[in-house]
Amino acid sequence: MQHVKQPERETWNAADGTVVTIRPISAADLALEQNFADGLSPHTVYQRLMSVRRPSLEELRRFTNIDPEREFALVATTPNQGSERQIGVARYVKGSPPGDAEFAIVLSDDWQRRGLGTRLLTLLLSAAKRDRVRRLVGTTMSENDGMLRLGRKLGFKLNKEPGMASITNLAVDLATWPASDAGPAR
């Protein structure tokens, strides 16, 4: 399977004027990813991992040293005293059935509800579509109102996990994305 080249980087301006760089993640981002994960509140970790545990160093290595044939990840950063501070990450991993990919997104606590999630997930959806993913799927806690709102806004269909009211599944058919009432935010 031929891998489609993904966008290199984008500069996005938050409503308050903060300049955010969004770019593909790389193995060189391990320390950035570790600082990001360590800075997440217990609530945000629980919402994302559905557990109170923190990612291990091996997991963080896997999150940054990706296989471009089967996965893609975007990292969002801001300038921070001469270096970068990671404020968000969105990724997908191709899986089973063929054509499906599972996505995940997490933002630092201070960047939630500021439009960054919409921008990151929109770019991820576009990248997945270019990479011939047919359907993007994910799971979240049913109480994760921010993720549920974001999913609805971008055209995902939401369904409770059968037999588990605390879990909601999200799915979007990329052949019909963006829908007329959803789609890329400008």
Side-chain angles (χ1 to χ4, degrees), residues 70 92-103 128 133-138 170 174:
R70 50 179 294 275
Y92 67 79
V93 178
K94 294 177 184 177
S96 182
D100 277 12
E102 185 172 351
F103 83 95
V133 172
R134 289 191 307 260
R135 193 170 76 117
L136 210 58
V137 298
L170 299 93
L174 292 174

Side-chain angles (χ1 to χ4, degrees), residues 72-185:
F72 181 68
L74 290 167
V75 62
T77 66
T78 56
N80 183 35
Q81 300 174 354
S83 64
E84 288 181 296
R85 173 184 172 234
Q86 182 175 329
I87 58 172
V89 64
R91 68 181 65 249
Y92 67 79
V93 178
K94 294 177 184 177
S96 182
D100 277 12
E102 185 172 351
F103 83 95
I105 182 171
V106 64
L107 305 176
S108 62
D109 292 79
D110 59 330
W111 276 89
Q112 294 174 18
R113 293 169 192 64
R114 294 177 63 182
L116 179 60
T118 300
R119 189 69 201 140
L120 263 177
L121 192 51
T122 298
L123 291 170
L124 192 75
L125 284 157
S126 295
K129 189 169 185 169
R130 279 191 305 274
D131 203 16
R132 296 186 198 90
V133 172
R134 289 191 307 260
R135 193 170 76 117
L136 210 58
V137 298
T139 58
T140 192
M141 304 292 296
S142 296
E143 66 191 39
N144 189 344
D145 293 329
M147 186 65 233
L148 299 176
R149 271 192 313 277
L150 179 59
R152 282 187 201 98
K153 178 179 183 177
L154 294 181
F156 284 81
K157 296 200 181 338
L158 281 58
N159 293 297
K160 299 270 188 190
E161 175 71 21
M164 294 187 68
S166 63
I167 303 293
T168 297
N169 296 311
L170 299 93
V172 65
D173 179 351
L174 292 174
T176 59
W177 182 87
S180 58
D181 60 341

